[in-house]
Amino acid sequence: LQMPVMDGYAASDAIRRLEGYDQTPILAISANYSDEHRELCHRHRLQGFVAKPIDRKLLLEAVDAALS
């Protein structure tokens, strides 16, 4: 979610504005996980959230859920 130039929320919004990308699955990956971040991810139409440090099993479950 924290990136140079544009944060993950703005990046998600920009992707959603591209023609044909309104339903593209987007997952957030961040060490900053809280109810506020979860709500922001929902508001910016991200399909899921994976907290750092990344647990491989949880990452694969999140990807599977986003693609289902």
Side-chain angles (χ1 to χ4, degrees):
L1 293 175
Q2 294 177 325
M3 304 181 300
V5 181
M6 180 185 299
D7 68 25
Y9 306 116
S12 177
D13 292 341
I15 291 167
R16 297 284 178 235
R17 287 191 298 271
L18 297 172
E19 185 176 338
Y21 286 83
D22 59 326
Q23 298 297 317
T24 298
I26 302 173
L27 297 173
I29 299 176
S30 181
N32 296 327
Y33 186 65
S34 66
D35 289 339
E36 177 184 1
H37 284 103
R38 185 181 308 144
E39 175 57 32
L40 284 167
C41 287
H42 180 74
R43 198 174 326 154
H44 291 274
R45 298 175 36 199
L46 282 87
Q47 278 66 37
F49 187 100
V50 178
K52 291 180 184 179
I54 296 174
D55 177 300
R56 179 185 163 114
K57 182 178 182 245
L58 294 177
L59 174 62
L60 293 175
E61 287 173 358
V63 169
D64 186 53
L67 296 176
S68 296

